[in-house]
Every structure is written in C-alpha cells, then in structure tokens.
C-alpha cells in the first residue's frame, strides 16, 4: 500500500504546485509534459514489467520500481529548468509503471480468491485518500515551503516501503500454470528485449500523438500524421517480432483467450469514459457552477469515496452470480448515471454533480474489481503479471484516447457556440474561453452567461460520449466475454 501510495499521490500532489514550478523554472508552454511524460512512461512500461514479474518474480521488479521512482523523485527536486524536470518525471514514470502493475499482481498472489476483494478494496482506499490529500498536501508544500518538497517527501515514504518489501515479502515457490498447459516449476529466464523495445517505442509514439494532438499541434497536421503513421508502422514491426520471439513480452494468448480479451476491451472503454469526470468535471464545477479549485476537487472526490466501498461489497455479488454478470450490472448502472448528467439543471447546485459522482463511483466499483479479480483467477502464477499488465495497459491507452476524443468533442461544441453566438463581446477563439471564464468581469453579464451555457453544453456532450463508451463496454461483456470465467483453483 505504501508503494502504491507513491504512484497514487504523484499526479494529484504535483498538479497544485504547477504555478509555483512555472514561476520558478519557466516553460509555461510545455509544462503539460510534466504529466504527459509521466503518463507515457507508466503506460508503455506496464506490459514490460508484467512480463518481467512473470519471469523473475514480483519482488525484484517491485524493488527496482521503487528505487527507480525514488531516484526520479530526487532528480526532480534538483531540476534546474523545465526540460530537466520533464526528463526526470519520465524517470519517475519508469518506476511508476512497476508500482502500478506489480502491486496488483502481488495482491492476487498472496490472497486466495475469497480474500482478494478485501485487500483490493484496501488498495482502492489508497487512491481515494490520495485524491483528497494530494492536492491539499501539494498546496501546503508549494505555498509554505518549496515546490521541491513535493518530490522530496517521496523519499521517506519510499524508503519505508522498500524496507518492508525487502524484509517481509516472501514469494512462495508455486507451480506455474497456463490454460490448457501442463505445470512447469522452472520459469523461463529469457527476456524478449527486442519486443520490449518495440512495445515501448510503439506506445510512446501513439500516446504522444494522442496527448499532444489538438494541443501542441492541430490534428490535421504533419506532426500528427507522422506520429500516428510511425506508431502504426512500429505496431506492425512489433507484431512480427512478438510472433518470432520464444517468450514474447505481449504473448498471443492475451488476445486469444476470450476472458482476457473481453476484459481488456471492457476496461479500455472504462479508461475512455473516466476522462469525463476526471478531466471535464473540475472545469464544469469552476466555469459553470462558479466553485473554487478546492471545492471543485471535492465534487470530484465524491466518486473516489464510494468506489472502494462498493468494490469491497462486490464479492457478495459475484460470489453468487459470477464475475461477468456483476460487471454487467455495474456498467449498466454507470451508463444510466452518465446519461443523467446532461439532465442536471443550469446552473444547478454543487451537491447535484457530487451526487452523480457518488453514484458513478459506486457503479464503477461493482464493475471494475470483479473483472480484474476474475482475470487474475483464470491464470497461473507464471501468467498473472502479463495478464494484469495487459488490463492496466488497455485502461491507460483508453484514457489517452478518451482525452483526445472528448477534447475534440468539447472544442467542437464550444467552437460552434462561439460561431453562432447572438451575443457580442465573446472571445474570438477557444484559447481565450478559459481566461474569460476565470475573469468574468471582463465580459458583459449576458456574454458571461452565454459562455457558461456553452461550457455546460460542451461537458454534457462529453458525458453523453462517456455513456457511449459504457455502452461499448456493456456490449463487449454481453457478446464477447464467456458466461462463466474459467477460474483456476487456489493452490493448497
């Protein structure tokens, strides 16, 4: 839990210190790469760490991840300009990929199926606590100490986590197993480094195109075509390398088995829909409802409070009706909740979207955890890291795709409202909209109200798109996932 807290706190604690960081180091035009660079490194290393944990064991991979994350944190605290800070954030992300994936796998290794919901719920509380405490802690350190302390604070926490892992994590010798394959107590020690490099390069180009498209350059532009074309070409090369590899980083069975393939697609859609609350709800709360940043954060935190609670109780449901049907119920409820968001009155009260988020978190807790536990229960020790990493990788890629897709939707709605605006005195371009909403005194009352309504409409369309992503996940579970997951018996 301490190891996961390092990764969970990282995003929220840094976001509140951005003004101080930019004021000290400069680089306002590229500061978004503080987050994009970290996200890229985490996402593209997930499959690699998953395979390494299946090959060499979880403990060495987790130890290496913690050490790399702490080295990156120390380097971030010594950054002398924005370029160096971004580079060191990538180093942090290289360690963060090991933390996010390996902790989930260790939980499945140490606890039998009946006890996994309890430990997974405890792990979920780490993320819930971090979403609330991170912004407050980051604001305090940036405002009353120095922004460099938001990275230095990782060192004592990480040191304790590292000591606990080294001293108390003892991996039992278990027979490795695969679906339909004989057990083999000798894990292979070959590492497909060519495949790892190909996966890393493909993911880096694709995610760079998705993260920066429409931000650093237009979607229809030479850089977009270059990155997307390059990622497609590298994807083809990756497929060739992985087919020839003796022990590939992303083995074909990840997509040949219906259970894992269906969950990968379903949680990829989850990453897509999560963009609506995590990215656009704070903007909605501040621009439409007129809340401050801290209050807007509490509206979003309602989701993180109900999520671990419902996840903890999900075992009572899936033990009776199965993993698939439980997930179907959860995503169906989530779709209805997302469809309810556009029905909120304008401008409305803060408790209304907070209630929506509370219900959404409860629905998604019922949806996600049974799928993760279900997949981990269908594979043996030697495949669990790879299977878990593939799930997390698809969810991260879905989130990147969602940010690009829904960003384009919101921008399109705002552009249309500005073009057809009957009210004079509105901003001429999208870049000026946020500035105008931050300083409504620069607009007439009529223009400010029109702009808020335009933002309200844009976020409504994003939530409708998120409901569509939930519908895709539902269809995958109904038509692709097997009726019963082929669960393996826990070893004695």
């Amino acid at each position: 839990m301490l190891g996961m807290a390092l990764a969970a706190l990282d995003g929220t604690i840094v976001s509140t210190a951005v003004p101080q960081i930019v004021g000290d180091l400069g680089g306002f035009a590229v500061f978004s790469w503080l987050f994009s660079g970290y996200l890229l490194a985490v996402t593209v290393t997930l499959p690699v760490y998953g395979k390494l944990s299946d090959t060499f064991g979880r403990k060495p991979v987790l130890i290496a991840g913690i050490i790399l994350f702490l080295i990156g944190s120390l380097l971030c605290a010594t950054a002398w300009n924005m370029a160096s800070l971004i580079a060191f954030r990538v180093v942090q992300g290289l360690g963060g990929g090991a933390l996010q994936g390996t902790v989930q796998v260790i939980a499945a290794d140490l606890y039998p199926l009946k006890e996994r919901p309890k430990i997974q719920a405890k792990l979920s509380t780490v993320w819930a606590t971090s979403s609330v405490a991170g912004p407050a802690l980051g604001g305090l350190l940036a405002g009353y100490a120095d922004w460099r302390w938001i990275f230095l604070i990782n060192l004592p926490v990480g040191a304790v986590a590292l000591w606990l892992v080294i001293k108390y994590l003892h991996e039992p010798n278990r027979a490795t197993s695969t679906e339909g394959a004989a057990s083999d107590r000798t894990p292979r020690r070959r590492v497909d480094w060519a495949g790892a490099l190909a996966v890393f390069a493909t993911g880096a180009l694709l995610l760079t195109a998705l993260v920066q498209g429409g931000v650093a350059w237009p979607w229809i532009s030479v850089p977009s075509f270059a990155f997307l074309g390059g990622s497609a070409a590298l994807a083809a090369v990756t497929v060739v390398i992985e087919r020839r590899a003796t022990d590939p980083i992303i083995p074909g069975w990840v997509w040949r088995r219906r259970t894992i393939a269906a969950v990968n697609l379903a949680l990829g859609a989850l990453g897509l829909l999560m963009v609506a609350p995590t990215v656009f709800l704070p903007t909605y709360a501040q621009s439409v409802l007129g809340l401050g940043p801290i209050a807007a954060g509490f509206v979003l935190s309602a989701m993180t409070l109900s999520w671990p609670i419902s996840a903890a109780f999900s075992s009572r449901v899936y033990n009776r009706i199965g993993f698939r049907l439980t997930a179907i119920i959860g995503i169906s409820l989530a779709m209805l909740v997302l469809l309810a968001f556009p029905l909120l009155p304008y401008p409305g009260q803060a408790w209304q979207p907070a209630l929506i988020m509370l219900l959404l978190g409860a629905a998604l807790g019922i949806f996600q955890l049974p799928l993760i536990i279900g997949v981990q229960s269908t594979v043996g020790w030697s495949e669990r890291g790879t299977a878990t990493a593939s799930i997390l990788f698809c969810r991260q890629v879905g989130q990147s795709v969602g940010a690009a897709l829904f960003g384009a939707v919101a921008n399109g709605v705002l552009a249309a409202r500005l073009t057809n605006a009957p009210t004079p005195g509105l901003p001429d371009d999208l870049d000026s909209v946020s500035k105008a909403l931050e300083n409504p005194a620069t607009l007439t009352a009529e223009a400010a109200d029109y702009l808020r309504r335009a933002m309200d409409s844009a976020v409504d369309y994003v939530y409708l798109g998120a409901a569509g992503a939930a519908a895709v996940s539902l269809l995958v579970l109904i038509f692709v996932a097997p009726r019963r997951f082929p669960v393996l018996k826990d070893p004695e």
Side-chain angles (χ1 to χ4, degrees):
M1 291 176 72
L2 279 175
M4 182 169 280
L6 291 172
L9 274 171
D10 190 74
T12 55
I13 197 172
V14 172
S15 61
T16 53
V18 165
Q20 288 75 20
I21 294 174
V22 172
D24 188 16
L25 301 180
F28 178 79
V30 295
F31 85 86
S32 63
W33 271 98
L34 291 176
F35 307 97
S36 301
Y38 180 84
L39 174 66
L40 286 171
V42 169
T43 304
V44 299
T45 55
L46 277 170
V48 178
Y49 284 127
K51 186 61 181 179
L52 290 177
S53 73
D54 283 343
T55 305
F56 299 107
R58 327 299 187 206
K59 186 173 182 176
V61 172
L62 182 58
I63 290 173
I66 293 175
I67 292 174
L68 195 55
F69 188 91
L70 295 181
I71 291 173
S73 298
L74 182 60
L75 290 173
C76 286
T78 63
W80 56 90
N81 57 27
M82 186 61 73
S84 64
L85 183 58
I86 291 171
F88 298 149
R89 284 281 288 168
V90 172
V91 176
Q92 261 193 320
L94 295 177
L99 294 174
Q100 290 198 24
T102 311
V103 172
Q104 297 278 1
V105 182
I106 291 174
D109 288 343
L110 297 180
Y111 295 87
L113 181 57
K114 291 182 179 180
E115 296 181 20
R116 282 178 204 161
K118 295 179 181 179
I119 190 62
Q120 289 285 359
K122 290 180 180 178
L123 292 175
S124 296
T125 61
V126 174
W127 291 93
T129 303
S130 300
S131 67
V132 177
L137 183 59
L140 287 173
L141 291 175
Y144 296 98
D146 187 272
W147 63 264
R148 298 178 190 274
W149 281 100
I150 67 176
F151 299 108
L152 292 174
I153 199 173
N154 290 331
L155 301 182
V157 177
V160 174
L162 188 62
W163 176 73
L164 290 172
V165 168
I166 291 173
K167 185 172 183 179
Y168 294 107
L169 177 58
H170 305 291
E171 295 188 82
N173 294 320
R174 295 186 180 182
T176 60
S177 61
T178 60
E179 269 185 302
S183 296
D184 178 11
R185 288 184 177 272
T186 305
R188 295 176 179 175
R189 294 290 175 176
R190 294 181 181 179
V191 178
D192 176 24
W193 293 114
L197 181 61
V199 170
F200 188 93
T202 303
L205 284 184
L206 175 61
L207 291 175
T208 300
L210 295 174
V211 170
Q212 295 299 104
V215 179
W217 52 73
W219 280 111
I220 303 178
S221 64
V222 173
S224 284
F225 292 137
F227 277 101
L228 291 173
S231 64
L234 282 175
V237 173
T238 302
V239 171
V240 174
I241 292 174
E242 294 298 83
R243 283 183 174 178
R244 294 180 178 178
T246 303
D247 198 10
I249 289 292
I250 303 182
W253 56 260
V254 168
W255 293 102
R256 285 195 297 268
R257 298 180 192 174
R258 286 181 61 190
T259 304
I260 302 175
V263 172
N264 282 344
L265 294 173
L267 291 188
L270 170 64
L272 200 72
L273 73 85
M274 282 299 295
V275 172
T278 57
V279 176
F280 289 92
L281 182 65
T283 300
Y284 169 87
Q286 294 180 65
S287 302
V288 179
L289 301 181
L291 301 178
I294 296 177
F298 280 114
V299 171
L300 176 60
S301 68
M303 178 178 68
T304 64
L305 296 176
S306 59
W307 192 316
I309 295 174
S310 67
F313 285 98
S314 65
S315 62
R316 299 186 180 183
V317 183
Y318 69 66
N319 282 331
R320 293 187 177 185
I321 64 177
F323 296 113
R324 172 177 171 269
L325 193 52
T326 302
I328 286 176
I329 293 172
I331 198 62
S332 299
L333 293 173
M335 183 174 64
L336 294 176
V337 172
L338 291 166
L339 287 172
F341 187 91
L343 303 178
L344 294 178
Y346 172 85
Q349 302 294 321
W351 67 266
Q352 294 167 333
L355 177 61
I356 292 287
M357 291 303 100
L358 194 70
L359 296 174
L360 182 63
L364 293 179
I366 298 173
F367 163 70
Q368 178 182 254
L369 187 58
L371 293 181
I372 294 177
I373 292 179
V375 164
Q376 291 177 333
S377 302
T378 65
V379 294
W381 187 96
S382 65
E383 297 178 338
R384 192 170 290 145
T386 301
T388 304
S390 72
I391 296 171
L392 300 178
F393 177 76
C394 289
R395 189 179 65 187
Q396 291 282 86
V397 171
Q399 194 164 353
S400 298
V401 172
L405 177 62
F406 293 144
V409 169
N411 288 341
V413 173
L414 283 174
R417 294 292 190 275
L418 291 177
T419 301
N420 303 315
T423 305
L426 289 169
D428 297 328
D429 54 71
L430 295 176
D431 292 335
S432 303
V433 170
S434 60
K435 295 180 180 179
L437 288 171
E438 288 176 4
N439 301 288
T442 60
L443 302 172
T444 65
E446 185 179 3
D449 182 69
Y450 182 87
L451 204 55
R452 288 194 185 94
R453 288 182 182 273
M455 182 64 72
D456 178 64
S457 180
V459 177
D460 285 347
Y461 274 98
V462 168
Y463 269 80
L464 289 175
V472 170
S473 184
L474 177 61
L475 293 174
V476 167
L477 292 176
I478 292 175
F479 295 107
V480 180
R483 290 185 178 274
R484 294 186 64 84
F485 285 18
V487 175
L488 303 177
K489 291 184 178 180
D490 288 317
E492 297 296 334

